[in-house]
């Protein structure tokens, strides 16, 4: 387990802006029901998902969505590209194995001479990335850091496999991190991994163990393999334990926390965690009904979606679980008036107020 030592200095890394990008194409449950043997009723009851977004267009990869999110973030926060010191991209669907998607995003948005690299921790990528990117800010090595979680899951989903194709969507979410000495920012974070979980969620071919070949393509080994029930159990148990641990360590009661921001995999997982911990459901951010599981993008997309409801000083607890297994949680104090920022951006996010039914 990777814990943080008690803070020595007063400087924390605070999220000072958030933005997202979702492709236009909406893949609804009814369309999926025409592709595989499923129904809107099964998907809704077993997952809570009604629709997800799919990135269409030749030659467009994860960097396209991430760059859109970052461009919007810069515009919204009045930040010039040259002010950014480091950009971290969490993704499992990079445009290329080489170079990193972070490098491409920087080039696309006009950031030159900036440190940039990718992090791969599947659905926990944003929490892992938050730990890494915030350390640049806390140590004074970066005045402004961007963390973007982005995944084009539609590229690794087998749309003939009903057990996985209903779950995932494409999207990107980005946050700006800056130093704060007001008490706002990241207070605590913990990371875990257990590589024995590999058997339950992985891509069989395409890496150095089993490089791509005509045979691996023919055997359909480049798609996501998921043992749903095993991952469901592990996600529920380990996210619950991690949230309980970070709250205990920081003397937080459920009443102290304004928002729980869990990775969006399945509505039943989120409700099971909330019920185990006694968290009222209206404190749990939920966007999966609209976007499905967008892997590293789920948590920043939640923040974007709920931005107008976030108030300065709100206490937030993030939790994530994904392939690896990887999981973790973070506790932070919100740094700004979200309603004001969302309004100034001219496009208040309110999908969370109008869930798809
Ligand atoms: O982000 C981290 C990665 N992913 C996750 O966290 C996903 C975690 N797992 C889950 O969300 C759930 O396990 C699933 C949604 C994937 C599956 O739900 P489940 O309640 O665990 O269903 P199951 O896999 O136990 O399958 C129950 C039945 C099976 O039929 P039989 O064998 O009982 O006849 C499946 O074949 O449901 C069937 N089924 C479907 N039926 C209609 C599986 N997928 C579908 C489908 N439509 N799309």
């Amino acid at each position: 387990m990777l814990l943080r030592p008690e803070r020595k200095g007063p400087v924390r890394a605070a999220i000072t802006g958030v933005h997202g990008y979702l492709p236009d194409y909406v893949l609804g449950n009814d369309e999926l029901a025409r592709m595989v043997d499923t129904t809107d009723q099964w998907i809704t009851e077993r997952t809570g998902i009604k629709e997800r977004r799919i990135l269409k267009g030749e030659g467009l990869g994860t960097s396209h969505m991430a760059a859109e999110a970052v461009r919007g973030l810069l515009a919204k926060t009045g930040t010039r590209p040259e002010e950014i010191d480091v950009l971290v991209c969490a993704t499992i669907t990079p445009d290329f194995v080489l170079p990193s998607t972070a490098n491409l995003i920087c080039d696309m948005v006009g950031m030159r001479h900036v440190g940039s690299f990718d992090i791969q921790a599947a659905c926990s990528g944003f929490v892992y990335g938050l730990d890494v990117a915030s350390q640049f800010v806390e140590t004074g090595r970066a005045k402004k850091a961007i963390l973007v979680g982005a995944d084009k899951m539609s590229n690794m989903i087998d749309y003939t496999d009903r057990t996985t194709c209903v779950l995932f969507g494409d999207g990107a979410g980005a946050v700006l991190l800056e130093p704060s000495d007001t008490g706002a920012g990241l207070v605590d974070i913990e990371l875990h991994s257990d590589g024995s979980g590999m058997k339950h969620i992985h891509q069989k071919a395409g890496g150095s163990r089993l490089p791509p070949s005509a045979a691996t393509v023919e055997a359909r080994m480049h798609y996501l393999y998921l043992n749903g029930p095993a991952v469901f159990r592990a996600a529920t148990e380990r996210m619950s334990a991690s949230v309980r641990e970070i709250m205990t360590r920081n003397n937080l009661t459920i009443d102290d926390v304004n928002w729980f921001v869990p990775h969006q995999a399945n509505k039943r997982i989120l409700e099971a965690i909330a019920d185990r911990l006694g968290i009222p459901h209206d404190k749990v951010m939920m966007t999966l009904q609209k976007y499905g599981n967008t892997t590293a993008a789920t948590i920043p997309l939640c923040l974007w979606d709920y931005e107008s409801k976030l108030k300065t000083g709100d206490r937030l607890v993030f939790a994530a679980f994904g392939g690896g297994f990887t999981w973790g949680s973070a506790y932070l104090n919100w740094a700004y008036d979200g309603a004001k920022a969302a309004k100034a951006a001219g496009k208040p996010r309110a999908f969370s107020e109008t869930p798809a039914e």
Side-chain angles (χ1 to χ4, degrees):
M1 174 167 54
L2 200 51
L3 296 175
R4 289 201 151 190
E6 216 168 299
R7 286 220 155 27
K8 296 202 174 58
V11 174
R12 287 179 179 157
I15 294 178
T16 54
V18 58
H19 202 71
Y21 175 81
L22 291 151
D24 292 335
Y25 191 85
V26 178
L27 176 59
N29 289 350
D30 288 338
E31 186 176 348
L32 279 168
R34 293 193 291 275
M35 295 157 64
V36 291
D37 181 16
T38 190
T39 59
D40 172 49
Q41 190 186 355
W42 192 96
I43 304 169
T44 306
E45 284 177 9
R46 307 307 292 166
T47 72
I49 301 166
K50 297 295 286 184
E51 57 191 42
R52 62 293 285 145
R53 302 298 182 94
I54 304 295
L55 181 63
K56 304 260 183 184
E58 208 169 319
L60 297 183
T62 295
S63 65
H64 171 76
M65 299 186 293
E68 288 289 334
V70 171
R71 267 190 213 103
L73 179 69
L74 293 174
K76 186 174 172 181
T77 55
T79 308
R80 285 174 285 111
E82 55 273 25
E83 289 181 80
I84 302 298
D85 302 305
V86 63
L87 182 142
V88 179
C89 176
T91 187
I92 55 164
T93 51
D95 287 32
F96 304 101
V97 173
L98 170 80
S100 80
T101 305
N103 300 161
L104 304 177
I105 298 164
C106 289
D107 185 49
M108 289 158 90
V109 304
M111 286 178 196
R112 314 271 175 240
H113 312 299
V114 59
S116 72
F117 56 93
D118 287 357
I119 280 189
Q120 203 272 49
C123 296
S124 311
F126 187 81
V127 172
Y128 267 70
L130 183 63
D131 198 352
V132 173
S134 67
Q135 292 184 53
F136 283 100
V137 174
E138 290 161 359
T139 55
R141 292 197 65 203
K143 281 268 174 284
K144 291 179 193 284
I146 286 181
L147 169 62
V148 52
D151 272 301
K152 187 185 174 194
M153 292 305 293
S154 58
N155 266 23
M156 66 184 300
I157 296 300
D158 180 352
Y159 286 95
T160 66
D161 172 12
R162 68 176 182 173
T163 65
T164 51
C165 73
V166 301
L167 300 174
F168 294 92
D170 302 337
V175 296
L176 181 63
L177 293 163
E178 294 181 271
S180 168
D181 57 7
T182 65
L186 183 64
V187 182
D188 197 6
I189 193 161
E190 61 171 49
L191 307 179
H192 304 257
S193 73
D194 174 3
S196 71
M198 182 265 184
K199 57 184 172 295
H200 297 306
I201 179 164
H202 59 264
Q203 190 177 18
K204 295 193 184 303
S208 57
R209 254 194 222 185
L210 193 51
S213 67
T216 61
V217 171
E218 200 185 339
R220 307 180 77 79
M221 296 172 89
H222 294 269
Y223 295 118
L224 180 79
Y225 168 81
L226 172 74
N227 175 347
V231 174
F232 187 107
R233 272 192 305 279
T236 307
E237 281 162 18
R238 297 182 192 200
M239 273 201 278
S240 301
S242 182
V243 168
R244 191 178 282 125
E245 190 173 303
I246 207 163
M247 287 184 58
T248 305
R249 217 167 46 227
N250 291 281
N251 299 316
L252 291 174
T253 66
I254 298 294
D255 288 344
D256 294 329
V257 179
N258 301 89
W259 292 101
F260 290 88
V261 194
H263 167 59
Q264 309 279 301
N266 184 319
K267 188 178 182 197
R268 289 188 296 132
I269 294 178
L270 306 197
E271 290 178 348
I273 294 170
D275 293 344
R276 274 181 187 214
L277 300 175
I279 303 169
H281 289 194
D282 61 0
K283 280 192 177 187
V284 181
M285 290 192 186
M286 189 146 4
T287 56
L288 55 73
Q289 65 276 24
K290 284 278 187 182
Y291 313 140
N293 181 349
T294 53
T295 304
T298 59
I299 290 178
L301 283 174
C302 277
L303 298 177
W304 188 43
D305 212 70
Y306 281 73
E307 186 181 29
S308 60
K309 297 183 178 184
L310 291 170
K311 299 182 186 65
T312 309
D314 274 359
R315 294 193 186 94
L316 274 63
V317 172
F318 298 170
F321 181 90
F325 294 144
T326 54
W327 69 102
S329 59
Y331 158 42
L332 66 146
N333 295 324
W334 195 248
Y336 66 93
D337 180 345
K340 211 163 133 189
K343 198 165 171 215
K347 193 184 169 198
R349 307 293 305 170
F351 290 160
S352 49
E353 284 157 17
T354 55
E357 282 305 333

